Amino acid sequence: MTGTAPFPVALSLAALLLASCGGAADTAPPSSANTTPAATATPATPATGTGTAAWNGTLRTQVVGTFDEPWAAAFAPGTQTLFITEKRGAIRAVDTRTGRTITVPGAPQVDYGGQGGLGDIAFLPGEAAATLGTRTIYLSWAEAGAGDTRGAVVGRGQLVCASDTACRVENLAVIWRQKPKVTGRGHYSHRIAVSPDERHLFVASGDRQKMDPAQDNGNTLGTIVRLNLDGTPAAGNPFAGRGSPTDQIWSFGHRNTLGLAFDADGRLWNMEHGPAGGDEINIVQPGANYGWPVASNGEHYDGRPIPDHAPGDGFVAPVLTWTPATAPGNMILYRGTLFPGWQGHALLPGLRSEALIRVAITGTSAVEAARFPMNRRLRELVEAPDGALWLLEDGENARLLRLTPG
């Protein structure tokens, strides 16, 4: 990898928006088992892009800025402005053409601690031509409850940029709550994905480190839920006739989903952390049970075995698993053309592995294809409109990096 100096500071955030109108991560200790398939610290397979020189498979990195415990990021549709959430409860925005960063008021009050705080951020892609710089914004965060309990929530509001320096979140209201609130500050998951037709929200609801509730459909712990854009249960959900909150559930038997993305064919994929090994990628199917904590291709932190997935066990087996754990921060399915040969592949920034992992996907099959060692814990990866990759490190003074072919 090669590094360059940070971008110069120049254009404003709102100019970009208006122009478009017309922790404590869940990491696992070492394990002696083998990675499935074998993990290799290798560069990408060299490839040639149409009309470009051959790519040697390395990454070029540019340092753009630093952030305090960043957790998630997303580009505002139709712009080159990247919005970043920080766990303590701040929203920052970066003009990726210039490197200028501003703070965005209107973030919610969060229950900060452990894996909790301000979480995911999402927009509606169809609002790329929204007037006056106003767009729907979805945020997730950890919310305190009665006593010593807490849980994940999702809120919807408007991102409004009225001038060059005045951008804020307005009318933010909670539209979904994880049920029930429980003790502890782990495994919130709270990743958000918008369906390709922009009619539904899919929200990952972690098991909150309670394990067994992931097999009980009387709650939403250890599930992926499917909602209307206003947070109400979507019609046609697999358990729609069983009352709330069961009528929200799309799939269950999940542990801690930190990656949620649709492929070009409309399939929903997830990435979830196992305990001491057993990180996995799945194709998410309605009504399906993914086995946690009854089956998992890993083991508990104290060494107790967990039965592996097996034919006929009633659970949907993962498409790909890792042991030892790589503990990805998130997952994207790459759609651009800047990185030749990567279209449709999954890219995962590793917390424990400290590497960017590329997973080649063919139809419903997946295999690890390459690793790019970064020597830092990696939290979040986002694809820019031009196909470049924007990578956030984990923790305090975490760098924001722009990655392009070397």
Side-chain angles (χ1 to χ4, degrees), residues 49-297:
T50 303
T52 64
W55 176 34
N56 65 8
T58 62
L59 295 178
R60 179 173 179 264
T61 68
Q62 296 169 284
V63 180
V64 179
T66 59
F67 296 85
D68 179 23
E69 294 187 276
W71 203 88
F75 281 90
T79 80
Q80 296 181 57
T81 305
L82 183 66
F83 288 81
I84 297 169
T85 63
E86 295 178 332
K87 276 180 62 180
R88 291 182 184 273
I91 303 172
R92 311 281 297 281
V94 182
D95 178 343
T96 62
R97 299 188 302 185
T98 68
R100 176 177 178 170
T101 301
I102 70 168
T103 297
V104 180
Q109 181 178 350
V110 305
D111 186 85
Y112 170 80
Q115 295 173 26
L118 188 56
D120 211 358
I121 180 171
F123 299 98
L124 299 176
E127 292 186 346
T131 59
L132 299 178
T134 300
R135 289 166 174 79
T136 304
I137 185 171
Y138 292 94
L139 296 166
S140 69
W141 64 92
E143 175 189 68
D148 189 34
T149 66
R150 50 196 58 85
V153 303
V154 171
R156 181 176 67 170
Q158 286 78 47
L159 174 70
V160 180
C161 287
S163 72
D164 287 354
T165 58
C167 296
R168 61 181 295 109
V169 176
E170 297 182 354
N171 304 316
L172 183 66
V174 173
I175 62 169
W176 176 83
R177 285 183 165 91
Q178 193 177 49
K179 294 183 179 180
K181 284 184 168 63
V182 296
T183 57
R185 285 192 163 102
H187 294 192
Y188 294 97
S189 294
H190 57 34
R191 283 288 181 184
I192 304 167
V194 178
S195 64
D197 62 7
E198 297 189 34
R199 295 177 56 195
H200 299 115
L201 294 179
F202 287 78
V203 180
S205 179
D207 79 337
R208 300 287 280 107
Q209 297 177 314
K210 305 304 181 185
M211 298 175 61
D212 291 341
Q215 290 294 316
D216 178 1
N217 285 343
N219 66 84
T220 56
L221 305 188
T223 69
I224 293 172
V225 301
R226 176 175 173 260
L227 310 170
N228 298 315
L229 297 184
D230 63 359
T232 56
N237 281 348
F239 310 111
R242 300 190 188 178
S244 179
T246 306
D247 55 359
Q248 304 171 6
I249 295 173
W250 188 250
S251 62
F252 62 106
H254 300 288
R255 185 173 182 267
N256 188 23
T257 292
L258 290 181
L260 201 60
F262 284 92
D263 67 18
D265 294 319
R267 287 182 290 256
L268 180 61
W269 297 70
N270 91 319
M271 174 280 298
E272 60 186 275
H273 287 196
D279 291 353
E280 60 189 52
I281 290 179
N282 299 286
I283 299 175
V284 180
Q285 304 170 38
N289 183 348
Y290 289 83
W292 178 256
V294 181
S296 172
N297 292 1

Side-chain angles (χ1 to χ4, degrees), residues 14-43:
L16 278 178
L17 284 171
L18 296 174
S20 71
C21 301
D26 180 23
T27 57
S31 168
S32 60
N34 294 323
T35 299
T36 309
T40 56
T42 61

